[in-house]
Amino acid sequence: MLKVLKFGGSSMADAVQFAKVKAIVEADPGRRVVVVSAAGKRCKDDHKITDLLYLCHAHMQYGVPCDGIFDMIQKRYLQIRDDLGLTTDLESEFAALRSKMDMGISKEELVSRGEYFSARLMADYLGFDFLDAELWLKFNLDGTVDQEATYEALRRAASGRCVVIPGFYGAMPDGTIKTFTRGGSDITGALAAAALDADIYENWTDVSGFLMADPKIVHDPQPIERITYAELRELSYIGAQVLHEGTIFPVREKNIALNIRNTNQPDHPGTMIRESFDEQEVPDNRFITGIAGRKNFSVISLTKSGMSSEVGVLRRILELLEKYNVSVEYLPSGIDCVSLVVATDKVASCIYQLMGDLQKEIKPDKLHVIDNIAIVAAVGRKMAFKPGSSGKIFARLGENGINIRMITQGPEELNVIVGVDNKDFANTIRVLYDSFVK
């Protein structure tokens, strides 16, 4: 069995965390490929190394000395090395980096060095080979990953070896360093797992898997033990803080299980994510896997007699939103009406022009916009097998004085989505959790 592991910044923060990582890796001989992030915060008031590297680049852009910040970064890694009793020659590496900065270095290469130094130290500490991500993670000219070339390069480079790989970056066709967006080490790990056809991709962080609701809203929410990729996608889209959005696709494509684990509680099973699970028995009232949502949406509603028989009207409506580069999040509709749910901040600068164009081109009988709407989704693969799930949700919300402004549900019956006033957002999530989870 092959397991690919990715450790986040909190797992790489200092020598104590490094020791926890080593214990985890050595506990299972299948854990032979390790992807690491840059060192994260050691405490609340500490700094992430990647943030400091971005700050260095900002100073360089404006001709402001960054020696103090650079020294903080260097001392951090030297302290980890010395505390672990390693002999890794970081001094010459930092000297070469400083020289490159003086001559001119791209922002992406500079900020990638946090992962690079973490991986150099972790490889020495584990006794694994260091495998630089720029040697196998290949980007196309448009910035997308060249999946075929990437997979083939890693299969060749990692064959028969135990390796540590820096996350977050790869190389463009001309060899220059290219980074993912923040949190992109998750993607590196997923690509590595997919390339090597791993049995499991373990993503180690500072939480024991995903929670059923936001702990800032619900007190001590229960963890999600098992979740499908489809459910995860729904929760992530609606606002749950889960993984980097690009993480899911490589492993889902290969049907590789993804396990979210806690470096500080290695015995906790965390959350297991698969394409599907073999399960028939469902506990009473437990048809919800997770609850998530976001505030500050606007709902543009159009009503026109005979709209349902007017060919092409929906296309024309959507083309007008495309003209203003506005994405439609949800599209609930009736026979002669349609509502366009859009993020308020995305439409604020053009709402009057857009409304004018809709009035001119579509000639609706009624056209209005409602602001300050929150979207809340109850997600669960078991809803389809529980008759009356939607009715129970609506009833509980009504019993608690929450006015539902919008309702939508996909044909897969994977979720029930409601629109409520912003002021009812937190209470909606609490009511759903207390009614169907506790």
Side-chain angles (χ1 to χ4, degrees), residues 88-101:
T88 318
D89 181 15
L90 292 184
E91 285 86 354
S92 61
E93 298 248 24
F94 273 104
L97 176 60
R98 194 70 183 89
S99 177
K100 211 168 189 180
M101 291 166 62

PDB file of all heavy atoms in Angstrom, residues 88-101:
ATOM      1  N   THR A  88      22.229  19.941   7.917  1.00  0.00           N
ATOM      2  CA  THR A  88      21.880  20.469   6.591  1.00  0.00           C
ATOM      3  C   THR A  88      22.539  21.834   6.374  1.00  0.00           C
ATOM      4  O   THR A  88      22.435  22.726   7.215  1.00  0.00           O
ATOM      5  CB  THR A  88      20.354  20.634   6.473  1.00  0.00           C
ATOM      6  OG1 THR A  88      19.698  19.507   7.040  1.00  0.00           O
ATOM      7  CG2 THR A  88      19.945  20.798   5.022  1.00  0.00           C
ATOM      8  N   ASP A  89      23.212  22.000   5.255  1.00  0.00           N
ATOM      9  CA  ASP A  89      23.899  23.253   4.968  1.00  0.00           C
ATOM     10  C   ASP A  89      22.907  24.281   4.430  1.00  0.00           C
ATOM     11  O   ASP A  89      22.772  24.465   3.220  1.00  0.00           O
ATOM     12  CB  ASP A  89      25.023  23.020   3.959  1.00  0.00           C
ATOM     13  CG  ASP A  89      25.777  24.301   3.639  1.00  0.00           C
ATOM     14  OD1 ASP A  89      25.625  25.291   4.386  1.00  0.00           O
ATOM     15  OD2 ASP A  89      26.508  24.322   2.620  1.00  0.00           O
ATOM     16  N   LEU A  90      22.209  24.937   5.336  1.00  0.00           N
ATOM     17  CA  LEU A  90      21.257  25.962   4.916  1.00  0.00           C
ATOM     18  C   LEU A  90      21.928  27.307   4.686  1.00  0.00           C
ATOM     19  O   LEU A  90      21.435  28.133   3.915  1.00  0.00           O
ATOM     20  CB  LEU A  90      20.155  26.125   5.968  1.00  0.00           C
ATOM     21  CG  LEU A  90      19.171  24.963   6.148  1.00  0.00           C
ATOM     22  CD1 LEU A  90      18.107  25.347   7.158  1.00  0.00           C
ATOM     23  CD2 LEU A  90      18.528  24.563   4.830  1.00  0.00           C
ATOM     24  N   GLU A  91      23.058  27.539   5.361  1.00  0.00           N
ATOM     25  CA  GLU A  91      23.717  28.842   5.247  1.00  0.00           C
ATOM     26  C   GLU A  91      24.057  29.175   3.791  1.00  0.00           C
ATOM     27  O   GLU A  91      23.800  30.296   3.323  1.00  0.00           O
ATOM     28  CB  GLU A  91      24.982  28.887   6.100  1.00  0.00           C
ATOM     29  CG  GLU A  91      24.730  29.023   7.600  1.00  0.00           C
ATOM     30  CD  GLU A  91      24.506  27.665   8.276  1.00  0.00           C
ATOM     31  OE1 GLU A  91      24.429  26.647   7.557  1.00  0.00           O
ATOM     32  OE2 GLU A  91      24.418  27.638   9.519  1.00  0.00           O
ATOM     33  N   SER A  92      24.631  28.222   3.087  1.00  0.00           N
ATOM     34  CA  SER A  92      24.998  28.494   1.700  1.00  0.00           C
ATOM     35  C   SER A  92      23.752  28.662   0.819  1.00  0.00           C
ATOM     36  O   SER A  92      23.758  29.442  -0.130  1.00  0.00           O
ATOM     37  CB  SER A  92      25.874  27.357   1.149  1.00  0.00           C
ATOM     38  OG  SER A  92      25.182  26.120   1.174  1.00  0.00           O
ATOM     39  N   GLU A  93      22.687  27.936   1.157  1.00  0.00           N
ATOM     40  CA  GLU A  93      21.440  28.062   0.389  1.00  0.00           C
ATOM     41  C   GLU A  93      20.836  29.451   0.587  1.00  0.00           C
ATOM     42  O   GLU A  93      20.360  30.088  -0.368  1.00  0.00           O
ATOM     43  CB  GLU A  93      20.442  26.995   0.843  1.00  0.00           C
ATOM     44  CG  GLU A  93      20.922  25.565   0.619  1.00  0.00           C
ATOM     45  CD  GLU A  93      20.119  24.855  -0.451  1.00  0.00           C
ATOM     46  OE1 GLU A  93      19.539  25.557  -1.308  1.00  0.00           O
ATOM     47  OE2 GLU A  93      20.076  23.626  -0.416  1.00  0.00           O
ATOM     48  N   PHE A  94      20.831  29.932   1.820  1.00  0.00           N
ATOM     49  CA  PHE A  94      20.293  31.262   2.082  1.00  0.00           C
ATOM     50  C   PHE A  94      21.174  32.338   1.452  1.00  0.00           C
ATOM     51  O   PHE A  94      20.678  33.360   0.973  1.00  0.00           O
ATOM     52  CB  PHE A  94      20.150  31.492   3.585  1.00  0.00           C
ATOM     53  CG  PHE A  94      18.834  31.015   4.139  1.00  0.00           C
ATOM     54  CD1 PHE A  94      18.764  29.838   4.867  1.00  0.00           C
ATOM     55  CD2 PHE A  94      17.669  31.735   3.918  1.00  0.00           C
ATOM     56  CE1 PHE A  94      17.555  29.385   5.369  1.00  0.00           C
ATOM     57  CE2 PHE A  94      16.452  31.298   4.412  1.00  0.00           C
ATOM     58  CZ  PHE A  94      16.396  30.118   5.147  1.00  0.00           C
ATOM     59  N   ALA A  95      22.486  32.129   1.461  1.00  0.00           N
ATOM     60  CA  ALA A  95      23.397  33.102   0.839  1.00  0.00           C
ATOM     61  C   ALA A  95      23.125  33.187  -0.666  1.00  0.00           C
ATOM     62  O   ALA A  95      23.109  34.285  -1.247  1.00  0.00           O
ATOM     63  CB  ALA A  95      24.843  32.699   1.103  1.00  0.00           C
ATOM     64  N   ALA A  96      22.895  32.037  -1.288  1.00  0.00           N
ATOM     65  CA  ALA A  96      22.601  32.020  -2.725  1.00  0.00           C
ATOM     66  C   ALA A  96      21.264  32.706  -3.004  1.00  0.00           C
ATOM     67  O   ALA A  96      21.125  33.440  -3.994  1.00  0.00           O
ATOM     68  CB  ALA A  96      22.571  30.577  -3.230  1.00  0.00           C
ATOM     69  N   LEU A  97      20.292  32.484  -2.129  1.00  0.00           N
ATOM     70  CA  LEU A  97      18.985  33.126  -2.302  1.00  0.00           C
ATOM     71  C   LEU A  97      19.109  34.639  -2.150  1.00  0.00           C
ATOM     72  O   LEU A  97      18.534  35.397  -2.938  1.00  0.00           O
ATOM     73  CB  LEU A  97      17.986  32.565  -1.284  1.00  0.00           C
ATOM     74  CG  LEU A  97      16.590  33.217  -1.280  1.00  0.00           C
ATOM     75  CD1 LEU A  97      15.923  33.058  -2.641  1.00  0.00           C
ATOM     76  CD2 LEU A  97      15.725  32.611  -0.170  1.00  0.00           C
ATOM     77  N   ARG A  98      19.867  35.076  -1.150  1.00  0.00           N
ATOM     78  CA  ARG A  98      20.039  36.523  -0.939  1.00  0.00           C
ATOM     79  C   ARG A  98      20.717  37.163  -2.131  1.00  0.00           C
ATOM     80  O   ARG A  98      20.351  38.277  -2.557  1.00  0.00           O
ATOM     81  CB  ARG A  98      20.866  36.769   0.329  1.00  0.00           C
ATOM     82  CG  ARG A  98      20.803  38.221   0.799  1.00  0.00           C
ATOM     83  CD  ARG A  98      19.406  38.517   1.326  1.00  0.00           C
ATOM     84  NE  ARG A  98      19.234  39.909   1.746  1.00  0.00           N
ATOM     85  CZ  ARG A  98      18.833  40.896   0.962  1.00  0.00           C
ATOM     86  NH1 ARG A  98      18.613  40.668  -0.326  1.00  0.00           N
ATOM     87  NH2 ARG A  98      18.645  42.112   1.425  1.00  0.00           N
ATOM     88  N   SER A  99      21.674  36.480  -2.700  1.00  0.00           N
ATOM     89  CA  SER A  99      22.365  36.999  -3.878  1.00  0.00           C
ATOM     90  C   SER A  99      21.402  37.118  -5.062  1.00  0.00           C
ATOM     91  O   SER A  99      21.420  38.098  -5.812  1.00  0.00           O
ATOM     92  CB  SER A  99      23.527  36.079  -4.243  1.00  0.00           C
ATOM     93  OG  SER A  99      24.170  36.513  -5.418  1.00  0.00           O
ATOM     94  N   LYS A 100      20.533  36.129  -5.191  1.00  0.00           N
ATOM     95  CA  LYS A 100      19.548  36.133  -6.272  1.00  0.00           C
ATOM     96  C   LYS A 100      18.558  37.278  -6.085  1.00  0.00           C
ATOM     97  O   LYS A 100      18.110  37.905  -7.042  1.00  0.00           O
ATOM     98  CB  LYS A 100      18.818  34.796  -6.314  1.00  0.00           C
ATOM     99  CG  LYS A 100      18.359  34.363  -7.691  1.00  0.00           C
ATOM    100  CD  LYS A 100      17.923  32.902  -7.683  1.00  0.00           C
ATOM    101  CE  LYS A 100      17.680  32.426  -9.098  1.00  0.00           C
ATOM    102  NZ  LYS A 100      17.243  30.996  -9.133  1.00  0.00           N
ATOM    103  N   MET A 101      18.196  37.540  -4.840  1.00  0.00           N
ATOM    104  CA  MET A 101      17.289  38.650  -4.545  1.00  0.00           C
ATOM    105  C   MET A 101      17.923  39.979  -4.920  1.00  0.00           C
ATOM    106  O   MET A 101      17.256  40.879  -5.441  1.00  0.00           O
ATOM    107  CB  MET A 101      16.912  38.646  -3.063  1.00  0.00           C
ATOM    108  CG  MET A 101      16.017  37.481  -2.664  1.00  0.00           C
ATOM    109  SD  MET A 101      15.896  37.253  -0.864  1.00  0.00           S
ATOM    110  CE  MET A 101      15.140  38.800  -0.351  1.00  0.00           C
TER     111      MET A 101
END
